[in-house]
């Protein structure tokens, strides 16, 4: 399923991350997945939330730099080799993964992953009905 990811650029200083999570909590926005990548000067917080448009608007109003990106969220069998089967299907379709990370929690015995690729529609079609 193609969903919207928010990338929030944060200065590398104390309190930046908690500022984001506090704002989301105050507005009852549920974080479903997150990933943090960093450089020497800033970090990139990648978020999947239940209301991305609302979250992006609120974050921008507070001065955060936010980018919205389509990503693919896919179920992965929660068993040994489950992720390997999904990655094998992606490789077999000649799709290059830019980055990936896991979703918080599990549902119905399935883990979930978020994939960033050049062609989300192609990946979504490859992964549909795989699990």
């Amino acid at each position: 399923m193609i969903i919207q990811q928010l990338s929030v650029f944060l200065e590398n200083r104390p309190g930046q991350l908690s500022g984001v999570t506090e704002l989301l909590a105050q507005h009852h926005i549920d974080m479903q997945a997150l990933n943090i990548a960093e450089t020497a000067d800033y970090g990139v917080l990648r978020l999947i939330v239940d209301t991305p448009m609302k979250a992006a608007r609120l974050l921008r109003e507070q001065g955060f730099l936010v980018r919205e990106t389509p990503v693919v969220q896919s179920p992965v069998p929660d068993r040994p080799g489950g992720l390997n089967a999904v990655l094998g299907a992606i490789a077999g379709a000649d799709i290059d993964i830019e980055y990936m990370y896991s979703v918080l929690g599990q549902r119905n015995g399935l883990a979930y992953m978020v994939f960033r690729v050049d062609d989300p529609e192609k990946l979504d079609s490859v992964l549909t009905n795989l699990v």
Side-chain angles (χ1 to χ4, degrees):
M1 167 174 47
I2 298 173
I3 59 175
Q4 289 298 311
Q5 169 189 269
L6 303 179
S7 295
V8 185
F9 296 86
L10 304 173
E11 293 178 51
N12 278 351
R13 62 181 173 87
Q16 287 286 285
L17 182 57
S18 67
V20 171
T21 60
E22 181 177 351
L23 181 66
L24 298 178
Q26 287 173 347
H27 292 275
H28 307 286
I29 296 172
D30 185 33
M31 291 188 301
Q32 299 167 342
L34 62 93
N35 176 280
I36 300 173
E38 50 84 24
T39 68
D41 298 322
Y42 64 91
V44 179
L45 171 63
R46 295 183 176 114
L47 286 171
I48 304 297
V49 297
D50 61 345
T51 54
M53 290 176 56
K54 177 181 176 182
R57 177 181 51 80
L58 290 167
L59 288 163
R60 286 185 180 112
E61 287 173 357
Q62 293 300 310
F64 290 99
L65 180 59
V66 180
R67 189 173 102 200
E68 297 158 81
T69 307
V71 293
V72 178
Q73 178 178 285
S74 176
V76 176
D78 189 15
R79 63 176 186 269
L83 178 59
N84 186 58
V86 172
L87 294 176
I90 295 170
D94 198 33
I95 297 172
D96 184 37
I97 299 170
E98 187 175 322
Y99 58 81
M100 62 184 264
Y101 54 94
S102 62
V103 175
L104 302 173
Q106 299 173 338
R107 296 182 294 257
N108 303 322
L110 296 170
Y112 285 79
M113 298 297 293
V114 174
F115 297 93
R116 171 70 172 128
V117 297
D118 284 337
D119 188 345
E121 290 81 14
K122 180 178 178 182
L123 177 58
D124 191 47
S125 69
V126 167
L127 296 178
T128 300
N129 301 321
L130 182 64
V131 176

